[in-house]
Amino acid sequence: MNPRVKPPLSPDLLSRFAAIVGERYAITDPASQEPYLREMRDLYHGHTPMVLRPGSVAEVAAILKLANETRTPIVPQGGNTGLVGGQVPHHGEIVLSLNRMDKIREVDATSNTITAEAGVSLGRVREAAANVDRLYPLLLPSEGTCTVGGNLSTNAGGTTAVSWGVARQQALGLEVVLADGRVLNNLNKLKKDNTGYDLKNLFIGAEGTLGVITAATLRMIARPRSVETAFVGVASPEAALELLGIASERTPGVTSFELMVRLGIDAVLKYDSGARDPLSAPYPWYVLIELSSQQREGLRDTMEAILADGAERGIVVDAAIAENLDQTRAFWRIREMFGEVQRQVGGSIKHDISVPVANVPAFIREADAAVAKLIPGARPLPFGHLGDGNIHYNVAQPVEADKAAFLARWHDVNKAVFDVVLKYGGSISAEHGIGVMKRDLLPTIKDPVAMELMRALKRTLDPNGILNPGKVL
């Protein structure tokens, strides 16, 4: 028998779990379970005897205490927007959905903190911050659906990491329920706290394998008084990198610096009826730049100076600066739809990698060559966060190729791309996590001592292996 295949849970045990949350919040109907079992790209589809939707920390603690005593595997889930299968019950585990835990417990504008439960959406956190004239700086296209718990459990990145960092940088304190049901209450607001180990960072990025995050104290920052956005045509990733250097020298306020290849722009324009080409002619590559400042005046001049300097050096071929909020949204729509429309061009093999910023152009060039050699006619569609070295290096099938046959080469393409990533000292997972998609790859690229320490932490915090089994490790 497959060691991950467990005998069916008894009706009596399921009744005990249901009693913790109440029958209304213990979902057993297959049709009602479906939104919790299928992830957004439809790569993974799980099954479960029950979806539990606790409404309090006490209920989460009771669920995990019973699960630990009965060795019942649990899969924690937030907004179900993960892309590596980490939130899916692949082997019939009970799903622990945190989406009812959706209270914003406190907004403290003086301390610049906001304390929110795990099921609060990213969009609601940003709105709550805006209501007190602050900014919660994490920004993801799925902000309406993804949640605080999921963002922290996967250490989500997003489009503003170049300036404000990833999810880990936003968390000051956590509330976590451990595998045995104990609650770690570490919801402090302190920027300085040297009282021993920084325990919160054990759980951030652990994908629910070490404990279940139920709330977090997050930092807010001063809300920018001015924002300028530009869409820029360039000849190459090398030119884009040089433009990043110019922008960084001119201002500390580069909050987004996104790179896109023309082939992907064409897909957006073809399949998204709301998109419009921002520039008058096509160019090989594009950059979306956003600058922010606490000053109400002068940022437009800074953006114009950056672009003028780039044009003078032959880097900027063409550019448009957004004249109003609608145009800004139109620019961002192209970037946000870039990944979405790729399913329309056929099979797509996706990678979420990072390399040192200086090596991004060389990585793209060498990865393109490796993919072309492996599958002639395959179409690389790289895009993403040039400002922090995180590129979503997606590869579309050759025109009119067989989709199934192309996707069957997933691991071959992975190896070709990851070999280039590792050559440049990069990471095979920049912001999406490991889940099941990259679990078997992890030991081949991770330092052996690091793997030993990770396994030791797992054994210590979850000795019965009930938390998200088969994920990450």
Side-chain angles (χ1 to χ4, degrees), residues 276-443:
R276 297 290 180 270
D277 204 330
L279 302 179
S280 58
Y283 299 99
W285 292 84
Y286 296 84
V287 169
L288 178 59
I289 310 175
E290 191 154 279
L291 309 179
S292 299
S293 174
Q294 298 306 314
Q295 305 299 318
R296 295 184 184 277
E297 305 292 337
L299 194 61
R300 178 78 173 208
D301 293 340
T302 301
M303 179 70 86
E304 290 176 350
I306 290 167
L307 298 177
D309 195 354
E312 212 173 286
R313 300 189 200 185
I315 299 165
V316 172
V317 186
D318 193 8
I321 302 175
E323 296 294 339
N324 49 50
L325 185 58
D326 285 343
Q327 195 172 13
T328 297
R329 288 173 176 159
F331 288 173
W332 274 107
R333 181 183 180 96
I334 291 174
R335 166 60 184 86
E336 289 166 1
M337 293 302 296
F338 203 97
E340 289 293 313
V341 301
Q342 289 183 24
R343 69 186 68 183
Q344 305 294 328
V345 301
S348 179
I349 298 175
K350 303 178 186 299
H351 308 86
D352 161 44
I353 68 90
S354 63
V355 295
V357 174
N359 297 132
V360 169
F363 160 75
I364 291 175
R365 183 173 61 252
E366 293 182 31
D368 285 356
V371 167
K373 182 178 180 181
L374 184 67
I375 304 179
R379 295 168 290 167
L381 290 160
F383 71 104
H385 323 301
L386 177 60
D388 56 44
N390 173 199
I391 300 298
H392 301 292
Y393 187 84
N394 297 350
V395 182
Q397 69 181 61
V399 176
E400 298 183 358
D402 180 78
K403 180 178 178 179
F406 174 73
L407 292 178
R409 306 292 303 276
W410 190 292
H411 295 295
D412 297 334
V413 175
N414 279 175
K415 185 178 186 313
V417 173
F418 292 157
D419 282 349
V420 183
V421 171
L422 297 178
K423 172 183 174 181
Y424 287 106
S427 169
I428 65 169
S429 181
E431 63 179 2
H432 291 167
I434 298 297
V436 294
M437 179 181 283
K438 300 177 183 179
R439 179 195 62 209
D440 295 337
L441 284 168
L442 192 61

Side-chain angles (χ1 to χ4, degrees), residues 264-285:
I265 300 288
D266 288 338
V268 173
L269 297 175
K270 180 176 181 180
Y271 295 108
D272 179 9
S273 60
R276 297 290 180 270
D277 204 330
L279 302 179
S280 58
Y283 299 99
W285 292 84

